[in-house]
Amino acid sequence: MNHVLVTGGAGYIGSHVCKALANTGMTPVAFDNLSTGHRWAVKWGPLFVGDVGSAADLDKALTKYNPIAAIHLAGSAIASESVTDPGKYYQNNVLTSLCLLDALRRHGIGLLVFSSSCAVYGAPEIEAIDEKTALNPVNPYGRSKLIVEDALRDFGRAYDFRSVALRYFNAAGADHDAEIGEVHDPETHAIPNALRAASGEIPYFELFGTDYESPDGTCVRDYIHVTDLANAHIAALTYLREGGKSIALNLGGGKGCSVKEILSAVERTTGIDVAVRESPRRPGDAAVLVADPKLASDVLRFTPEYTDIDTIVETAWRWHQSFTLRNSRHEAARSLDDTIRPSSQVQGDLKTRRSGAVDLSVVVPCFNERDVIKITHARLCDVLGRIENIRLEIIYVDDGSNDGTDQIVRELVDSGTNAKLICLSRNFGHQPAVSAGLANSNGDVVAVMDADLQDPPETVVEMLEKWREGFDIVYGVRAQRKESTVKRLAYSWYYRMWRALANVEIPLDAGDFSLMDRRVVELLNNLPEKNRFLRGLRAWSGFRQIGLTYERRAREAGQSKYSVLKLLRLAFDGIFNFSTTPLTGVFFTGLITAALSSIGLVLIFIQRIFNISIFGVSPGDIPGFALLALIILFLGGIQIFSIGIVGEYVGRIYQEVKGRPSYVIRSVHTRSGSNRSDA
Ligand SMILES: NC(=O)c1ccc[n+]([C@@H]2O[C@H](COP(=O)([O-])OP(=O)(O)OC[C@H]3O[C@@H](n4cnc5c(N)ncnc54)[C@H](O)[C@@H]3O)[C@@H](O)[C@H]2O)c1
């Protein structure tokens, strides 16, 4: 396996580089101290939490993964901060980089792609900056990058070592699937700040300087889409692996965009006027910084694809919207809080999200669905794929099938539809499979349905309408079941009993078939509990919900996976460490003993009253013995029964405190072929 060490792999640009590496079949090892990066941004390979300044951490990671090369993005990157705290920049950009270079040399790794910056040029007053432009940094940040570039050159001369220093201009935008994007604290970049101002997170966008020598008086910068930037790293790596010599290259789009043009693009994309406060120029800000990217294009055979500012802003906006509604527990709690006390900005956001184009994810858990899965896929694409203004994402979660379902789904994914396959490492059960699907969904709204088409896709269309009306959860209520009378009675009895016992309002005859707003999905994803029962959690969440009656059809093909035998087998799935079944056993032993002894007591009274002789023994033979024995049995039974009930709860607590994930993902397959194998 070709591992590549990506320092700063949990950061904004680093995470996009990791995704690009995975898309080319390599395995990125994100090496990050998480000082400004995020654990959630590491999705395409292992995360090694360590500091680039620690030789021991580096040795551990390099020994463990033996990478073929390194991409070095870790560092501090706020130019204004470097002026007030230069020590941090010489420490975290220069010393750490030297530590990395030493470690790479110790481990015989001779290829490195380095994140440099256009800050090495300072503020030249020229139209387009090429690599021959004088290197004249105006702040410690730029100087720290230049020192590292010099070190790379010296290492190249002295050792078996080659590098590409990529001098980024302004990285912007976000992953097109909105899986990752820019989240900095503090945020100093123009586009995310303009988006935050548009969505009301900050009161206004601070515009520094309107009297520059530029067409509209505001600073002009060269914005390069972060996906293009990431792809340039792959090109640089390929260049080095093919024997290319050390070089420093500009990475920019080659065209300038003023801050006012950014604001217009943000307003076009969001449809919201951005409040702006004009402030004086910031010291050291050049009027125009635009790259001449020709050398990179010649050497790396790389051309940026997403140069249009509207595309850059759109991807950043999509990410911004989805991020504010997901990921951390803190965000989930905030979402819940928003529901209780909706602020005008959240309502505004909801309104925007629910009209116009919407991303719909459909989660389909599958276990041995070979006979039906193609029919299901065709129906989903046919019914949901053609709805106007809907971008459909189908997420099949293969729950350890052994009939080749995963292979069939893989082919369906490759056939060009927007679908992905998540393979669990074994059969974890229906609820964990649904949880895996929800956790990997990206849509504004997410539907959950079974693979057997008993839940008709047409009902999802009606559910969507209800969601657009403002409901956060729309669940299916089964009008008629196409199952045997015994099963129907059992289900009906079960739902009524559950409703009577539960301490939340449980809808009758509602299964997992439902459609949920992203806020609800994020809340569910971030709940700490492992033992999940979707329909209960959904009801508990308390968002605005409504039931939609539909006729549950017979299976389109194949057999139900919930046979009586399977249910029984599930009960014995694991003993002691993997289940609370022994506790349940105690519970039933007590219950049965108490029940039998009660019957016995009744019989003894009858025997006494009528003086009946049973097996030749009549009540007068041993006075009081039978009664005493039965009372002891009865009380013993009640005690065991009570302990059993307590045990049920203790068992559940035990399951939760172990903190094991409720499922393990073996691989994720998308059309682009990206794959991961992790826990
Ligand atoms: N964002 C831009 O527009 C831009 C422009 C030019 C250059 N760069 C350079 O690109 C690189 C990445 O920038 P970004 O915007 O993704 O920043 P970021 O802050 O999002 O990412 C930096 C990552 O490095 C990690 N990190 C920092 N110090 C570390 C250390 N000592 N050990 C291990 N991990 C450490 C952080 O936790 C973070 O995940 C930086 O080196 C920056 O100087 C960025």
Side-chain angles (χ1 to χ4, degrees):
M1 196 181 285
N2 280 347
H3 283 108
V4 175
L5 187 82
V6 183
T7 72
Y12 168 44
I13 303 172
S15 55
H16 288 80
V17 169
C18 287
K19 183 169 183 179
L21 281 166
N23 282 342
T24 55
M26 286 181 264
T27 304
V29 178
F31 183 98
D32 204 298
N33 65 4
L34 301 177
S35 53
T36 57
H38 312 276
R39 203 176 276 274
W40 51 254
V42 181
K43 300 179 179 219
W44 292 277
L47 167 67
F48 189 101
V49 180
D51 196 291
V52 187
S54 158
D57 287 351
L58 285 168
D59 280 338
K60 257 189 236 157
L62 293 173
T63 307
K64 183 167 180 192
Y65 295 106
N66 192 21
I68 53 165
I71 299 182
H72 178 35
L73 301 107
S76 302
I78 305 178
S80 55
E81 184 190 48
S82 76
V83 178
T84 53
D85 190 4
K88 176 175 174 184
Y89 282 73
Y90 288 106
Q91 172 67 44
N92 203 33
N93 288 358
V94 179
L95 295 183
T96 51
S97 297
L98 295 179
C99 191
L100 174 69
L101 292 183
D102 267 343
L104 293 179
R105 208 157 68 79
R106 271 198 306 283
H107 289 261
I109 298 159
L111 306 180
L112 176 78
V113 179
F114 171 59
S115 270
S116 188
S117 163
C118 65
V120 296
Y121 296 111
E125 290 185 358
I126 53 174
E127 225 169 74
I129 299 171
D130 67 13
E131 287 77 357
K132 291 195 199 94
T133 307
L135 299 168
N136 191 16
V138 292
N139 52 40
Y141 169 61
R143 275 189 283 277
S144 70
K145 292 287 181 190
L146 191 53
I147 293 172
V148 178
E149 281 197 20
D150 285 341
L152 293 181
R153 230 166 277 126
D154 289 337
F155 268 60
R157 282 185 204 115
Y159 312 122
D160 180 15
F161 180 83
R162 284 173 296 120
S163 65
V164 175
L166 296 174
R167 295 174 180 159
Y168 314 158
F169 279 63
N170 290 58
D175 170 47
H176 284 77
D177 302 326
E179 291 186 283
I180 41 174
E182 186 164 15
V183 180
H184 288 129
D185 185 17
E187 187 53 81
T188 56
H189 294 146
I191 294 176
N193 274 335
L195 294 175
R196 288 168 72 213
S199 60
E201 275 168 52
I202 51 174
Y204 51 80
F205 175 85
E206 191 152 18
L207 177 55
F208 296 103
T210 51
D211 55 353
Y212 283 98
E213 287 188 6
S214 66
D216 61 16
T218 62
C219 287
V220 173
R221 293 289 178 269
D222 184 338
Y223 293 90
I224 174 162
H225 196 285
V226 66
T227 301
D228 282 331
L229 209 54
N231 290 335
H233 288 72
I234 310 302
L237 201 59
T238 310
Y239 163 81
L240 286 174
R241 292 181 76 189
E242 286 172 355
K245 61 181 179 20
S246 293
I247 195 163
L249 299 168
N250 287 345
L251 275 189
K255 61 181 183 187
C257 181
S258 74
V259 183
K260 278 195 176 160
E261 283 170 328
I262 294 277
L263 291 171
S264 304
V266 166
E267 292 184 345
R268 272 197 301 278
T269 301
T270 61
I272 303 168
D273 288 345
V274 180
V276 175
R277 190 177 86 168
E278 292 184 5
S279 300
R281 292 178 180 203
R282 281 184 306 200
D285 268 354
V288 180
L289 283 179
V290 177
D292 175 348
K294 188 169 177 316
L295 189 61
S297 148
D298 292 348
V299 172
L300 304 182
R301 295 187 294 276
F302 159 77
T303 319
E305 222 179 303
Y306 311 106
T307 49
D308 175 39
I309 193 64
D310 282 318
T311 309
I312 291 176
V313 170
E314 267 164 34
T315 55
W317 177 233
R318 252 163 61 73
W319 161 249
H320 181 89
Q321 283 181 303
S322 70
F323 179 76
T324 48
L325 298 164
R326 74 181 180 190
N327 270 320
S328 66
R329 257 179 218 169
H330 166 75
E331 287 298 326
R334 223 192 73 173
S335 293
L336 187 61
D337 201 38
D338 289 339
T339 325
I340 299 161
R341 296 179 282 103
S343 68
S344 56
Q345 66 178 257
V346 170
Q347 282 179 337
D349 181 39
L350 291 181
K351 217 168 139 200
T352 322
R353 285 193 305 117
R354 289 188 189 204
S355 55
V358 160
D359 290 343
L360 166 68
S361 301
V362 181
V363 173
V364 187
C366 317
F367 177 59
N368 289 348
E369 302 291 0
R370 189 184 56 188
D371 296 338
V372 74
I373 199 68
K374 278 190 182 163
I375 309 172
T376 306
H377 185 74
R379 279 281 299 285
L380 283 175
C381 293
D382 193 36
V383 178
L384 303 176
R386 288 189 309 193
I387 313 176
E388 214 178 308
N389 273 341
I390 289 291
R391 281 184 295 252
L392 178 65
E393 170 194 54
I394 309 172
I395 302 165
Y396 294 103
V397 184
D398 182 58
D399 186 20
S401 299
N402 50 24
D403 68 344
T405 301
D406 55 337
Q407 197 42 49
I408 299 173
V409 176
R410 206 172 272 265
E411 284 159 19
L412 294 174
V413 171
D414 290 338
S415 71
T417 42
N418 188 16
K420 73 174 145 188
L421 166 67
I422 294 166
C423 293
L424 302 189
S425 63
R426 64 170 170 85
N427 179 235
F428 282 88
H430 186 263
Q431 297 293 316
V434 170
S435 299
L438 292 179
N440 282 277
S441 67
N442 293 306
D444 302 308
V445 58
V446 184
V448 175
M449 59 182 291
D450 284 347
D452 54 15
L453 286 180
Q454 284 190 287
D455 307 324
E458 290 78 4
T459 309
V460 176
V461 182
E462 293 173 49
M463 289 176 165
L464 258 174
E465 285 313 310
K466 289 281 169 210
W467 174 78
R468 286 200 196 268
E469 284 170 27
F471 289 96
D472 296 304
I473 299 172
V474 190
Y475 52 83
V477 177
R478 295 146 182 189
Q480 251 182 319
R481 286 178 171 274
K482 302 280 175 195
E483 282 139 349
S484 68
T485 316
V486 178
K487 249 188 170 178
R488 268 189 284 140
L489 282 176
Y491 278 120
S492 165
W493 172 80
Y494 167 73
Y495 276 113
R496 273 146 192 86
M497 188 190 70
W498 184 33
R499 188 188 175 114
L501 292 177
N503 50 8
V504 284
E505 188 62 25
I506 302 290
L508 285 178
D509 299 317
D512 290 338
F513 182 38
S514 56
L515 180 134
M516 293 172 281
D517 184 76
R518 164 66 39 201
R519 289 188 304 165
V520 181
V521 174
E522 285 315 314
L523 172 71
L524 299 185
N525 286 346
N526 288 298
L527 286 176
E529 62 204 82
K530 303 282 179 288
N531 196 352
R532 282 155 182 261
F533 194 41
L534 178 65
R535 56 201 88 168
L537 290 175
R538 212 177 51 202
W540 165 86
S541 76
F543 282 87
R544 220 179 142 205
Q545 21 193 299
I546 189 169
L548 204 65
T549 308
Y550 74 105
E551 196 177 303
R552 191 157 161 87
R553 302 178 182 175
R555 284 182 63 93
E556 198 71 25
Q559 295 294 313
S560 167
K561 307 302 169 314
Y562 278 101
S563 63
V564 178
L565 202 68
K566 173 144 193 197
L567 286 172
L568 278 176
R569 195 150 34 89
L570 271 177
F572 290 96
D573 238 2
I575 301 177
F576 302 119
N577 215 12
F578 286 91
S579 125
T580 54
T581 310
L583 293 170
T584 313
V586 173
F587 171 91
F588 281 111
T589 309
L591 183 70
I592 292 165
T593 315
L596 289 179
S597 55
S598 309
I599 295 168
L601 277 173
V602 173
L603 289 177
I604 280 193
F605 279 120
I606 295 170
Q607 193 195 17
R608 273 195 170 272
I609 290 163
F610 299 104
N611 201 17
I612 304 165
S613 159
I614 299 173
F615 299 125
V617 179
S618 66
D621 295 348
I622 317 164
F625 172 77
L627 185 64
L628 205 64
L630 279 169
I631 287 174
I632 292 170
L633 261 179
F634 178 74
L635 289 179
I638 292 290
Q639 280 172 8
I640 297 173
F641 176 62
S642 309
I643 293 170
I645 291 179
V646 175
E648 279 293 323
Y649 291 103
V650 172
R652 278 167 173 73
I653 295 167
Y654 173 59
Q655 297 256 5
E656 292 296 334
V657 293
K658 275 190 297 186
R660 276 187 204 149
S662 53
Y663 57 84
V664 177
I665 293 178
R666 176 164 45 87
S667 63
V668 176
H669 183 75
T670 58
R671 198 173 147 214
S672 54
S674 60
N675 248 291
R676 74 175 142 122
S677 304
D678 59 5

